[in-house]
Amino acid sequence: MGKIIDKIRQVFNLFLLMLLIVAVAAVLVWFLAEPESRGTTFWMSLGFMGFALLLSTLFASRIALRTNEGRNVPGHFTQLFLIGGYFIFTIIAAIVNAKMGFSPTGYLLLHVVGLAVFLLPLLLTNMALLKQDSAEHREQKQGRLDLAARATRIRNLAADAEAGANISREELAPLYKLSESLQFSDPTPGPRDLENALDGALAVLERTDTANSAELLRACTLAERALEARNAAVLSAK
């Protein structure tokens, strides 16, 4: 939760910085433009700068709040480059218009070209990232199913030990706890080495003789530690 608050604070600080830049640009444009030319194109300039400010804030918020262990860094960098370029373009266009006095039609065409140059690639990049997000969603869904299957196997193992080896349920409590921990763990894949370590520990546990309670609990402890390490790595990456 603390990381999310920090990211929201960073986005808000970025918004304030860009708002300050827009305000300074608006004042500069006001003084650069002749009184008689502060008409349609002047208000168009303010509108386009406000639109660029809003768009930049939205994309910055999405990038800041969306984390996936850096797998989208190239796409996010491209988005920041394009949205930053468009933000600067609107400010430069407003200043140039104040000095040269474009007609409303010519000024609108200038911004249409700017939208095509900056926002079309931005939309294409966003579509590619959405497709990648969809693939990650399917990966998480599969991870959730895998964790549920693991939890079921450990629960069945504990039930077999309780019924067949006459081991008390209290003594098997760590296995039932491990089953619940698996069931409710974050399905996001962790680092490959920690996932492999967890797979190995669970495989050893499942091969353990259910009649040997000491070995069963020892293997359960190792699996619990592997799961804790994996879950901690997943949590720290968010």
Side-chain angles (χ1 to χ4, degrees), residues 84-156:
Y86 179 68
F87 181 73
I88 295 172
F89 164 78
T90 58
I91 293 176
I92 293 176
I95 295 174
V96 172
N97 173 67
K99 295 295 292 182
M100 299 182 62
F102 292 114
S103 67
T105 301
Y107 193 52
L108 180 61
L109 288 176
L110 176 64
H111 277 281
V112 169
V113 172
L115 286 169
V117 170
F118 291 102
L119 297 193
L120 283 181
L122 181 66
L123 291 175
L124 293 175
T125 304
N126 192 54
M127 289 173 62
L129 290 177
L130 288 175
K131 185 176 181 180
Q132 183 173 345
D133 288 345
S134 178
E136 290 176 2
H137 178 73
R138 290 194 298 271
E139 185 180 50
Q140 284 198 345
K141 183 178 180 181
Q142 184 59 48
R144 189 175 292 107
L145 292 174
D146 291 342
L147 287 171
R150 289 171 171 177
T152 299
R153 291 198 298 269
I154 299 304
R155 190 162 50 249
N156 291 340

Side-chain angles (χ1 to χ4, degrees), residues 2 15 51 61 83 96-97 123 139 170 202 213:
F15 169 76
F51 173 69
S61 300
I83 198 65
V96 172
N97 173 67
L123 291 175
E139 185 180 50
E170 290 74 15
L202 291 175
S213 61

Side-chain angles (χ1 to χ4, degrees), residues 21-209:
I21 294 174
V22 169
V24 172
V27 172
L28 180 62
V29 169
W30 175 269
F31 284 108
L32 285 177
E34 296 296 331
E36 62 274 8
S37 65
R38 295 171 190 159
T40 303
T41 57
F42 173 77
W43 296 110
M44 287 173 64
S45 294
L46 295 185
F48 280 115
M49 285 192 292
F51 173 69
L53 172 63
L54 176 62
L55 203 62
S56 300
T57 303
L58 290 176
F59 272 90
S61 300
R62 181 182 183 277
I63 291 170
L65 297 177
R66 178 72 177 92
T67 57
N68 59 355
E69 300 177 348
R71 282 172 284 182
N72 277 349
V73 167
H76 288 163
F77 179 80
T78 301
Q79 286 186 328
L80 287 175
F81 176 80
L82 290 170
I83 198 65
Y86 179 68
F87 181 73
I88 295 172
F89 164 78
T90 58
I91 293 176
I92 293 176
I95 295 174
V96 172
N97 173 67
K99 295 295 292 182
M100 299 182 62
F102 292 114
S103 67
T105 301
Y107 193 52
L108 180 61
L109 288 176
L110 176 64
H111 277 281
V112 169
V113 172
L115 286 169
V117 170
F118 291 102
L119 297 193
L120 283 181
L122 181 66
L123 291 175
L124 293 175
T125 304
N126 192 54
M127 289 173 62
L129 290 177
L130 288 175
K131 185 176 181 180
Q132 183 173 345
D133 288 345
S134 178
E136 290 176 2
H137 178 73
R138 290 194 298 271
E139 185 180 50
Q140 284 198 345
K141 183 178 180 181
Q142 184 59 48
R144 189 175 292 107
L145 292 174
D146 291 342
L147 287 171
R150 289 171 171 177
T152 299
R153 291 198 298 269
I154 299 304
R155 190 162 50 249
N156 291 340
L157 180 68
D160 290 343
E162 184 178 356
N166 292 322
I167 303 175
S168 66
R169 189 177 183 87
E170 290 74 15
E171 192 174 359
L172 293 170
L175 271 78
Y176 287 108
K177 179 183 177 183
L178 174 61
S179 175
E180 291 182 3
S181 298
L182 285 167
Q183 184 75 44
F184 297 107
S185 290
D186 192 320
T188 303
R192 189 69 265 164
D193 58 333
L194 295 181
E195 290 286 354
N196 290 338
L198 176 60
D199 290 342
L202 291 175
V204 170
L205 176 58
E206 291 173 21
R207 292 196 302 266
T208 303
D209 184 4

Side-chain angles (χ1 to χ4, degrees), residues 11-23 53 87:
V11 173
F12 182 68
N13 290 337
L14 179 62
F15 169 76
L16 291 180
L17 175 62
M18 292 189 297
L19 181 61
L20 177 62
I21 294 174
V22 169
L53 172 63
F87 181 73

